[in-house]
Amino acid sequence: MPGTPSQNGVAERRNRTLKDMVRSMISHSTLPESLWGKAIKTTVYILNRVPSKAVAKTPYELWTSKKPSIRHLHVWGCPAEAKPYRPNEKKLDSRTMSCYFVGYFERS
């Protein structure tokens, strides 16, 4: 029967995996729970780049026919430094600002 969780095992297992990963990411960072949307996007990004038991290739590899790189992955919620675009920046102005890592750019 469509819509019943007990008969939709694969999708429910994936949702449980996503929820558990988001809960872990938020509990191990100092960031507020209101960033759960960013955390779930990051979780999906990570899961699309790691292999699963069902298929030898990653979902990213099946979609793009390219092997994904995981060298750029970082811990969610870790302190980071960003260089914002400032066209009128003076020579002695600070070039970076402190922030926290909350996800990956969607088109990267």
Side-chain angles (χ1 to χ4, degrees), residues 26-41:
I26 289 175
S27 70
H28 286 93
S29 72
T30 58
L31 299 177
E33 288 183 11
S34 61
L35 291 175
W36 69 269
K38 298 280 187 184
I40 203 155
K41 280 185 175 183

Side-chain angles (χ1 to χ4, degrees), residues 8-108:
N8 198 1
V10 176
E12 289 301 318
R13 177 65 184 155
R14 184 63 153 191
N15 289 341
R16 182 176 170 197
T17 302
L18 289 170
K19 186 176 60 174
D20 289 346
M21 287 179 72
V22 167
R23 185 182 300 121
S24 175
M25 289 164 60
I26 289 175
S27 70
H28 286 93
S29 72
T30 58
L31 299 177
E33 288 183 11
S34 61
L35 291 175
W36 69 269
K38 298 280 187 184
I40 203 155
K41 280 185 175 183
T42 303
T43 302
V44 170
Y45 183 89
I46 292 168
L47 287 176
N48 282 335
R49 280 154 179 78
V50 295
S52 67
K53 291 180 183 178
V55 183
K57 295 183 176 186
T58 65
Y60 178 85
E61 196 172 355
L62 292 171
W63 186 262
T64 63
S65 300
K66 294 188 279 186
K67 200 156 185 73
S69 172
I70 57 170
R71 292 174 38 190
H72 64 284
L73 296 182
H74 295 282
V75 175
W76 191 85
C78 68
E81 296 289 324
K83 184 180 185 300
Y85 175 71
R86 295 186 193 136
N88 299 327
E89 189 173 59
K90 303 214 177 3
K91 287 184 180 181
L92 299 178
D93 287 347
S94 176
R95 297 193 186 265
T96 61
M97 60 186 291
S98 296
C99 53
Y100 291 95
F101 177 75
V102 292
Y104 301 95
F105 186 63
E106 290 182 16
R107 296 186 191 118
S108 64

